[in-house]
């Protein structure tokens, strides 16, 4: 698995890129995250009921703020996807654990037609960046995903990029923690070419709403297990052929 490093070379015009940033009380992290959005890309901060002024901070820093009253990681992500207008949509956590600048090579890969969905495999930079319970849950889900789809993914992380219209055609329905997994499952069912690359993973700012505790982690695992129990999803292929071996 090769690491992907950010280059100063811009993504070729006329491709447009929106970055969806689901946000729930991330006032501390927002300045760091938004300053790392690549030039020319639009940041869509989806406020999911913050009470710490996150929406105001995002607006002041130049981001487009989308409000989603229905609580849930999937609800926030999908609100961002439906609000997006760019050719390519990226997703990134809003807690400063991931660097949105690492999405640049992901987008280049999509533009070049080398992959339909590019995912980041999180590589912890410190011992405390990825707690044991979160890694354990992720490993269990990766194995279940392999049984369900044949994909040999090593992570189900939130850093990812794909074209907007094919993403909408997947008709994603999960509005909780299963949303990222449902995207991968339905993409695999539709025959998308899926690539996975290493990205640095740092300690998040504040406390995680999902994987900060064993209880939160296993609630996420239950949500995702329900996604894996779905029958094969019917979604329109984005002009690709099925490939179950994940490209590194």
């Amino acid at each position: 698995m090769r690491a992907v490093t950010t280059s100063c070379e811009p993504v070729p015009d006329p491709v447009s890129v929106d970055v969806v940033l689901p946000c729930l009380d991330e006032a501390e992290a927002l300045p760091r995250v938004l300053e790392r959005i690549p030039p020319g890309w639009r940041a869509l901060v989806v406020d999911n009921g913050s009470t710490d002024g996150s929406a105001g901070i995002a607006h002041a820093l130049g981001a487009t703020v989308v409000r989603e009253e229905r609580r849930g990681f999937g609800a926030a992500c999908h609100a961002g996807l439906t609000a997006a207008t760019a050719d390519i949509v990226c997703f990134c956590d809003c807690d400063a654990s991931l660097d949105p600048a690492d999405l640049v090579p992901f987008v280049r890969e999509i533009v070049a037609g080398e992959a339909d969905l590019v995912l980041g495999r999180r590589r912890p930079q410190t011992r405390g960046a990825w707690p044991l319970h979160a890694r354990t849950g992720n490993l269990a889900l990766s194995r279940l995903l392999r049984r369900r789809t044949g994909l040999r993914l090593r992570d189900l992380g939130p850093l990812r990029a794909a074209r907007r219209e094919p993403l909408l055609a997947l008709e994603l329905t999960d509005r909780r923690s299963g949303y990222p997994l449902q995207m991968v499952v339905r993409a695999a069912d539709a025959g998308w070419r899926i690539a996975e690359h290493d990205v640095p993973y740092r300690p998040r700012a504040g406390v995680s709403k999902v994987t900060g505790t064993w209880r939160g982690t296993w609630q996420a695992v239950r949500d995702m297990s329900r996604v894996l129990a779905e029958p094969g999803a019917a979604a329109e292929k984005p002009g690709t052929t099925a490939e179950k071996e994940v490209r590194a």
Side-chain angles (χ1 to χ4, degrees):
M1 186 68 59
R2 65 182 174 86
V4 174
T5 56
T6 303
S7 167
C8 60
E9 297 179 11
V11 172
D13 291 333
V15 175
S16 56
V17 181
D18 284 337
V19 183
V20 175
L21 300 159
C23 176
L24 176 59
D25 293 331
E26 300 292 3
E28 178 184 349
L30 271 168
R32 281 181 283 167
V33 173
L34 292 176
E35 72 180 5
R36 296 295 296 166
I37 298 292
W41 294 15
R42 182 172 66 147
L44 292 174
V45 174
V46 184
D47 183 51
N48 200 208
S50 298
T51 58
D52 66 349
S54 289
I57 292 171
H59 180 74
L61 292 173
T64 298
V65 177
V66 177
R67 297 188 184 276
E68 174 53 59
E69 299 300 328
R70 180 177 177 181
R71 285 292 183 93
F73 182 76
C77 287
H78 202 69
L81 175 59
T82 55
T85 57
D87 297 325
I88 294 175
V89 177
C90 300
F91 296 84
C92 180
D93 274 355
C94 204
D95 59 13
S97 62
L98 293 163
D99 187 342
D102 287 333
L103 287 161
V104 171
F106 288 28
V107 171
R108 286 205 197 99
E109 196 165 350
I110 299 293
V111 172
E114 296 170 355
D116 305 302
L117 175 63
V118 184
L119 308 170
R121 180 192 180 193
R122 292 167 289 185
R123 305 296 286 179
Q125 302 301 290
T126 64
R127 180 173 296 181
W130 201 357
L132 175 61
H133 53 268
R135 284 185 281 118
T136 301
N138 188 75
L139 177 61
L141 287 166
S142 296
R143 289 174 175 172
L144 291 171
L145 177 68
R146 181 178 174 183
R147 293 178 189 173
R148 167 64 176 76
T149 65
L151 287 172
R152 295 175 179 270
L153 286 173
R154 295 171 176 82
D155 190 14
L156 297 170
L159 198 70
R160 52 189 62 195
R163 290 194 178 273
R164 178 174 58 88
E165 290 297 335
L167 276 174
L168 289 169
L170 293 178
E171 298 183 348
L172 302 176
T173 57
D174 191 278
R175 296 296 181 264
R176 292 170 47 128
S177 302
Y179 188 87
L181 178 61
Q182 188 179 55
M183 183 186 297
V184 174
V185 169
R186 293 197 176 183
D189 287 347
W192 290 28
R193 294 166 300 171
I194 299 174
E196 181 183 57
H197 303 304
D198 290 349
V199 293
Y201 190 54
R202 302 170 181 84
R204 62 155 292 144
V207 179
S208 172
K209 288 78 176 176
V210 177
T211 58
T213 64
W214 278 99
R215 180 179 180 182
T217 295
W218 290 114
Q219 177 61 58
V221 169
R222 287 196 295 271
D223 290 346
M224 295 184 184
S225 296
R226 285 194 290 269
V227 170
L228 291 169
E230 292 180 356
E236 184 178 352
K237 295 183 182 181
T240 65
T241 55
E243 291 184 17
K244 294 300 185 182
E245 195 69 30
V246 177
R247 292 178 53 257

